């Protein structure tokens, strides 16, 4: 599994449109799945969500975001969320 930040499908270069995306594969010999947007629990529409970092157990993700409820105008704040990796039932 890989989590990354991208402004796809907005390829106009608008950096305010970065969202978190995820793709996965079963093994290093397989191709990556098509990327999927992580959704509204992680991404805030029209705001920059970048720099994902996962904990050692893949259950906690930290990220930077410029959200309207952040500490300062146009500054990045750090957000944390718990998660279940795609394809995992436990």
């Amino acid at each position: 599994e890989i989590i990354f930040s991208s402004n796809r499908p907005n390829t106009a270069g608008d950096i305010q449109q970065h969202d978190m995306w995820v793709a996965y594969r079963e093994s290093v010999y397989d191709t990556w799945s098509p990327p999927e947007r992580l959704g509204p629990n992680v991404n805030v529409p029209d705001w920059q969500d970048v720099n994902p970092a996962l904990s050692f157990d893949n259950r906690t993700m930290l990220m930077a975001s410029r959200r309207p409820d952040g500490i300062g105008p146009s500054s990045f704040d750090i957000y944390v969320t718990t998660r279940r990796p795609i394809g995992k039932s436990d």
Side-chain angles (χ1 to χ4, degrees):
E1 181 180 51
I2 185 171
I3 298 176
F4 60 96
S5 175
S6 175
N7 67 340
R8 64 180 52 221
N10 175 8
T11 57
D14 184 355
I15 63 170
Q16 296 301 321
Q17 301 295 320
H18 275 86
D19 280 334
M20 299 293 178
W21 295 75
V22 63
Y24 59 93
R25 62 185 181 178
E26 292 296 319
S27 78
V28 297
Y29 303 106
D30 294 326
T31 58
W32 288 100
S33 69
E36 300 173 30
R37 185 177 271 128
L38 285 179
N41 291 337
V42 173
N43 296 310
V44 175
D46 301 323
W47 293 90
Q48 202 171 7
D49 301 309
V50 296
N51 301 336
L54 293 174
S55 62
F56 73 95
D57 64 358
N58 291 329
R59 301 285 180 173
T60 303
M61 184 176 79
L62 294 128
M63 59 183 266
S65 183
R66 292 184 184 187
R67 297 181 180 207
D69 58 349
I71 293 174
S74 72
S75 66
F76 281 101
D77 295 312
I78 297 172
Y79 292 84
V80 63
T81 183
T82 56
R83 60 185 298 277
R84 186 184 80 226
I86 288 181
K88 304 292 183 186
S89 59
D90 57 337

